[in-house]
Amino acid sequence: MNAILAAARADLLERVRSFRFLAVLMATVAMGMLMLPTQDAGYVVLQVGQGRGIYNSAWVGLVFGVVGAVVLPLFGFFIIKDALARDRMTRVGLMLAATPISRFGYLGAKLLSNMGVFCAILAVSSVVAVGMQFWRAEDTALHPLDLLVHLWVVPLPVLLATSALALVFECTPGLRGAFGNVVFFFLWAGVFGPGMDGMTGKDEGRVVVRGSDFYGISAPLADFEDHLDVFRPGHEGGLSIGANIGAKPPTPVPWPGIADDARWLMERLAWSVAFVPLLLLAGVFFDRFDPARGRRAAAQRPAAATGAEATATPEASPWRTLTPLPRTDPGWRPLTQLVAELTLLLWRKPLWWYGIVAGFWIAALVNAPEAGLQWVVPLAWLFGITTFSEHGARADLHGTHSLLASAPSPLARQLPVQWLAGVVFALALIAPVLPKLLLGGMPGALTQVLVGAGFLSALALASGALSRGSRLFELTFLMLWYAAMQNAPGARFMGTATLSFADSYAPTYLGLGVLMLGTAWLLRALELRR
Amino acid sequence: MLRAGDIRYRGHIVRIEIESVGKRYRADAWALREVTLTLGTGVIGLLGPNGAGKSSLMNILATITRPTTGRVLVDGVDSTRTPDVMRRVLGYLPQDFGVYPSLSAREFLRYLAAVKGVPAKPAERRIEELLDLLNLTHAADRPLGGYSGGMRQRVGIAQALLNDPAVLIVDEPTVGLDPEERLRFRHLITDLSGDRVVILSTHIVSDLEATASRIALIEQGRLLRVDTPEALMQGAEGRVWDWLVPVDALPEVRQRHRIASTLRRSDGIQVRVIAERAPSPDAVARSASLEDAYLVAKGLAAAAPA
């Protein structure tokens, strides 16, 4: 047990002593300050049937708790899903693998560390929640138990599940990288939507019916609705969680909370225990950092150790003197560099990858240009997410920064070509769509697609420069993509067939693309000036 | 003096002047202090313990990081203000570097040649020569992810030489190389050093013995001494002793004297002691190796008043 606690503590310390963790806590504070909008703020975070609780301790805790249960798992997954990856990268995993700690003990330590991160976020949220209750001053009587029980008990089982799931993903070959992040995003979206639908009680004339839901929010919200009935009998409207912009100001209703509801507390405890078996599943896939296990390991195994090629290392060739290079100026050769960048983006992909791209091309060729724009472009760009995310942070991910930074004019020569290569890659995925749009008399739509490709490439570079990793881009892209597919206003960055260039969102994304590229430039320039 | 706009790629740099260079990472953590040094053609070896500041100095010379104080002049142009004056003529092998695991060695070198601005045709010839020279031709088309540490290190050496650099900065270049490859690397450095500046940092003193025309001793961020290996060894003459001691006396000898090395023999332990006077009447004076000379120089620096 000592070993597990020591491993968890070391892992947590390593995490909290990073700038990224500080940024997460600062974002938590910033988000927390938006959780309790005033009546004239123009948005609502949590409302039931056009009512909300007066900002007393119970309701304030519930608002923070609900957002912690619904939204935090999505962001949190991207924050915590590096517990094993870090040990792989730093080779600490190899040292731990040689100690007596069991695989479940090790994963248990990582689970504790993951939960440590979440608990830190909830702790900061608790402080912000108290501050916000006093700031809004609708009810300044502080009831710590009411606030803390709602704020912690609602999200904890969900966060525990997220922590365990992150470990399952990290242990499972194929889910460790960007593809796993995509899978989790859709898992989150797939659980959230039906989860919310499942607790509505339209047939019973209610907004929310109490059940044993995973998110643990139907019980407090149903209880709140009972109180709402007293103040606003026959209320209308549904359940709204998240930034509901433009909503009518809801009616504030006093609500004492359900912090003393034993049944609800037991349900939350049961949900917490229910996800522990995920840890066992992670243990099944965990390779204990054995470099000889897994497909990737097979690809990386030195050929000298594999059978026929074991004798392939030849005798060193006779000594030779290098031929001097012609004394030309090492000038900028953007075309050569573009080809080199495209090699990184397009070369040496597995055969199935080219097969799927061929599928997109065929789909674009056999369908009308409108359908190509509607489906092929978003799906192909979603398919390219792993390549885009790596493209934006390639030097950071692979440690080639010092090799590239010691080349002439690293920023001025490399960044524009990297951006252009990203655009060419985005367009290559959907190549047949472009002439079809042109030939179909839709030059406005074609321009929108070009702007979308430029924006995408700039977003990848900016996200990579900001986070020095791939996950910020993946999360941002997935949220934007999902919103676009749900026809959320302004989200369709890949173009709309029915709109002209001027009426579309393309001019906005053109500006955003320039802003992103400028951000990437600035951040990389600062990096070079260290 | 040249200005930034006058910079031309002229093949060879004759002079690098390091003027009072210092690097501070935190408020009170100086990695490097007041280093002043002039470099011309030939190999200069940086020698010092871990954390002495060697890599910080190399990173500053390679324009990867900027000095907190001082400047570096390349043919009279300040490379801390105009880094391209160095980057145009630089080949750099960092101590820690990564590769793109899905690319082959040939593809990776092509990529870096493009980034360094080497024209495509000469780059192709150069890459083939380097692959051959570094004994990588047989593996040149395999993904780098499958390379052993030594093979990866050789790819690092190859990339540093891609642009036929007039200044070659190599940080711990022989890490992971087997003895034969290490020997080959020394030949390579000796070959190259005739008409270019080579700055070599290593823990392996024999690498420097074989290649360096000058050695800079660095400790705790300060330059202790710069001299030829011969002068350094000469300075240690009369301070190096071989002494045969019984096995059970070794712990006490270790406590009382600075030990350069020990050698187990059938009749006891032969201890090489660094001392101003013979540690015992039985001790025999020996010629100093470069390693002995390094320890002597360190000892002198430690004894010197601050």
Side-chain angles (χ1 to χ4, degrees):
Chain A
M1 194 62 194
N2 272 348
I4 295 172
L5 291 176
R9 181 175 180 271
D11 194 65
L12 188 61
L13 286 176
E14 177 65 22
R15 284 172 152 169
V16 301
R17 287 173 183 168
S18 67
F19 176 74
R20 194 175 69 165
F21 186 74
L22 186 67
V24 166
L25 295 187
M26 285 163 65
T28 304
V29 173
M31 286 286 289
M33 295 179 74
L34 301 172
M35 291 292 185
L36 307 178
T38 53
Q39 288 296 85
D40 56 357
Y43 72 97
V44 181
V45 172
L46 178 64
Q47 72 170 28
V48 179
Q50 289 185 358
R52 68 156 171 88
I54 283 179
Y55 292 149
N56 60 14
S57 293
W59 184 259
V60 169
L62 185 67
V63 173
F64 277 77
V66 168
V67 173
V70 172
V71 181
L72 184 55
L74 176 62
F75 291 94
F77 180 84
F78 284 80
I79 293 166
I80 61 168
K81 201 193 129 203
D82 64 353
L84 273 70
R86 201 165 352 89
D87 281 357
R88 265 181 225 285
M89 194 184 72
T90 57
R91 314 275 168 100
V92 169
L94 290 175
M95 291 184 231
L96 291 174
T99 67
I101 193 168
S102 70
R103 62 173 58 191
F104 293 110
Y106 174 80
L107 292 174
K110 295 297 176 187
L111 185 77
L112 288 177
S113 172
N114 284 350
M115 284 308 292
V117 173
F118 282 136
C119 286
I121 292 172
L122 291 183
V124 170
S125 300
S126 304
V127 175
V128 177
V130 171
M132 287 303 295
Q133 186 189 342
F134 285 120
W135 191 15
R136 290 291 175 250
E138 289 186 5
D139 180 347
T140 51
L142 181 65
H143 300 284
L145 199 68
D146 284 345
L147 187 138
L148 293 177
V149 165
H150 293 99
L151 196 151
W152 286 73
V153 170
V154 172
L156 266 182
V158 187
L159 298 176
L160 193 63
T162 308
S163 297
L165 209 55
L167 291 176
V168 174
F169 274 55
E170 282 208 79
C171 290
T172 310
L175 294 179
R176 279 178 198 154
F179 178 69
N181 297 342
V182 176
V183 170
F184 180 81
F185 179 84
F186 285 103
L187 191 65
W188 173 83
V191 170
F192 174 60
M196 293 299 115
D197 287 346
M199 68 179 74
T200 56
K202 292 192 180 81
D203 298 340
E204 300 162 46
R206 288 179 61 87
V207 177
V208 183
V209 287
R210 179 169 179 156
S212 304
D213 63 303
F214 166 51
Y215 291 106
I217 57 180
S218 67
L221 292 180
D223 188 72
F224 169 76
E225 194 176 352
D226 292 341
H227 284 77
L228 183 65
D229 284 337
V230 176
F231 290 89
R232 277 192 66 167
H235 57 266
E236 292 176 342
L239 171 64
S240 167
I241 297 172
N244 187 358
I245 298 166
K248 269 171 56 180
T251 310
V253 171
W255 178 65
I258 59 165
D260 54 354
D261 187 326
R263 186 182 139 204
W264 177 64
L265 294 172
M266 289 310 290
E267 281 169 6
R268 299 314 288 150
L269 184 65
W271 273 111
S272 302
V273 178
F275 286 95
V276 173
L278 275 177
L279 203 60
L280 302 177
L281 184 64
V284 172
F285 293 113
F286 180 39
D287 62 8
R288 207 180 161 91
F289 304 106
D290 180 353
R293 279 179 61 182
R295 275 186 306 171
R296 189 175 175 82
Q300 294 193 352
R301 198 171 297 137
T306 58
E309 287 191 78
T311 56
T313 307
E315 287 291 307
S317 52
W319 184 255
R320 61 183 296 174
T321 306
L322 290 166
T323 313
L325 280 181
R327 293 292 165 211
T328 51
D329 182 38
W332 190 26
R333 292 176 172 79
L335 199 61
T336 314
Q337 216 177 314
L338 180 64
V339 171
E341 290 289 346
L342 286 172
T343 307
L344 287 174
L345 289 166
L346 289 163
W347 198 241
R348 284 194 185 266
K349 301 276 189 194
L351 208 57
W352 59 261
W353 191 92
Y354 297 109
I356 291 177
V357 174
F360 288 130
W361 282 27
I362 292 166
L365 284 168
V366 299
N367 285 298
E370 290 86 351
L373 188 57
Q374 180 71 20
W375 296 109
V376 176
V377 174
L379 288 175
W381 286 356
L382 177 67
F383 173 69
I385 184 173
T386 56
T387 310
F388 280 120
S389 64
E390 189 185 2
H391 181 58
R394 194 183 304 280
D396 306 293
L397 293 172
H398 298 293
T400 55
H401 176 73
S402 49
L403 301 184
L404 300 176
S406 60
S409 308
L411 195 60
R413 289 187 184 183
Q414 289 170 33
L415 195 72
V417 177
Q418 283 166 353
W419 173 77
L420 189 61
V423 176
V424 173
F425 173 75
L427 297 179
L429 291 176
I430 53 160
V433 175
L434 308 174
K436 285 198 82 165
L437 286 174
L438 194 63
L439 296 171
M442 302 164 72
L446 175 65
T447 319
Q448 292 177 50
V449 174
L450 295 177
V451 167
F455 166 75
L456 198 52
S457 184
L459 178 66
L461 292 174
S463 307
L466 190 63
S467 67
R468 312 240 177 116
S470 56
R471 279 176 287 178
L472 179 62
F473 171 79
E474 286 157 15
L475 182 60
T476 312
F477 174 81
L478 283 169
M479 290 198 302
L480 189 61
W481 186 92
Y482 190 72
M485 297 310 278
Q486 301 291 319
N487 294 320
R492 186 93 194 168
F493 67 94
M494 58 285 272
T496 311
T498 50
L499 295 176
S500 68
F501 178 79
D503 295 334
S504 72
Y505 304 118
T508 308
Y509 281 105
L510 184 64
L512 281 174
V514 172
L515 189 69
M516 295 283 168
L517 204 56
T519 305
W521 186 290
L522 184 71
L523 292 170
R524 293 298 183 192
L526 290 172
E527 198 179 319
L528 283 171
R529 288 183 65 86
R530 272 184 311 175
Chain B
M1 183 179 281
L2 289 172
R3 287 170 304 171
D6 300 331
I7 297 160
R8 296 282 186 274
Y9 184 77
R10 293 183 292 138
H12 306 298
I13 285 176
V14 288
R15 209 174 166 80
I16 297 174
E17 291 156 275
I18 304 167
E19 293 183 352
S20 304
V21 162
K23 180 70 183 176
R24 187 177 57 194
Y25 286 104
R26 288 188 307 276
D28 55 348
W30 285 88
L32 215 55
R33 271 181 188 268
E34 290 290 319
V35 172
T36 299
L37 189 59
T38 302
L39 309 175
T41 52
V43 180
I44 181 155
L46 303 185
L47 196 56
N50 286 331
K54 304 187 297 290
S55 291
S56 291
L57 179 58
M58 295 198 124
N59 280 335
I60 289 168
L61 292 175
T63 70
I64 300 297
T65 189
R66 291 156 68 93
T68 311
T69 61
R71 58 183 190 163
V72 177
L73 300 179
V74 180
D75 271 1
V77 180
D78 186 353
S79 71
T80 57
R81 288 175 181 273
T82 318
D84 270 9
V85 70
M86 178 65 98
R87 290 171 184 162
R88 282 164 175 261
V89 293
L90 175 66
Y92 178 46
L93 173 67
Q95 188 174 355
D96 294 311
F97 67 95
V99 293
Y100 298 138
S102 59
L103 291 193
S104 69
R106 188 175 273 117
E107 289 160 353
F108 186 60
L109 292 175
R110 270 185 202 141
Y111 173 72
L112 287 175
V115 169
K116 287 173 186 235
V118 182
K121 240 181 182 167
E124 281 300 313
R125 197 178 59 238
R126 185 80 173 174
I127 288 167
E128 293 311 316
E129 283 189 7
L130 285 166
L131 289 170
D132 185 38
L133 186 68
L134 291 157
N135 202 22
L136 286 167
T137 308
H138 69 287
D141 293 314
R142 287 214 311 260
L144 288 167
Y147 275 30
S148 66
M151 290 166 80
R152 205 177 282 212
Q153 188 70 5
R154 280 182 273 153
V155 172
I157 296 168
Q159 67 77 29
L161 296 171
L162 267 176
N163 54 338
D164 197 4
V167 178
L168 181 62
I169 299 178
V170 283
D171 199 352
E172 301 289 351
T174 54
V175 168
L177 298 188
D178 62 35
E180 197 181 337
E181 294 298 345
R182 189 183 296 163
L183 209 61
R184 215 170 157 79
F185 176 76
R186 289 176 187 169
H187 288 323
L188 177 63
I189 290 294
T190 312
D191 259 16
L192 294 170
S193 62
D195 56 0
R196 67 194 82 208
V197 182
V198 180
I199 304 161
L200 167 68
S201 162
T202 180
H203 285 100
I204 301 165
V205 178
S206 58
D207 283 347
L208 292 180
E209 262 171 342
T211 55
S213 48
R214 284 197 305 158
I215 288 175
L217 299 178
I218 300 182
E219 182 153 303
Q220 292 182 350
R222 292 185 186 275
L223 191 62
L224 299 184
R225 188 174 168 188
V226 186
D227 224 325
T228 62
E230 295 76 20
L232 282 172
M233 288 189 280
Q234 213 164 22
E237 288 302 330
R239 293 184 172 112
V240 181
W241 310 88
D242 272 354
W243 180 21
L244 187 67
V245 299
V247 174
D248 53 4
L250 187 60
E252 194 195 334
V253 172
R254 275 194 199 283
Q255 277 196 337
R256 292 177 48 198
H257 300 283
R258 295 190 72 205
I259 307 293
S261 64
T262 55
L263 179 69
R264 185 172 284 273
R265 283 176 25 174
S266 58
D267 50 351
I269 304 257
Q270 184 179 299
V271 183
R272 180 161 280 213
V273 178
I274 307 292
E276 289 296 316
R277 283 183 294 278
S280 151
D282 302 335
V284 182
R286 292 292 184 209
S287 297
S289 67
L290 188 57
E291 197 156 352
D292 299 326
Y294 166 59
L295 290 173
V296 168
K298 262 184 72 173
L300 290 176

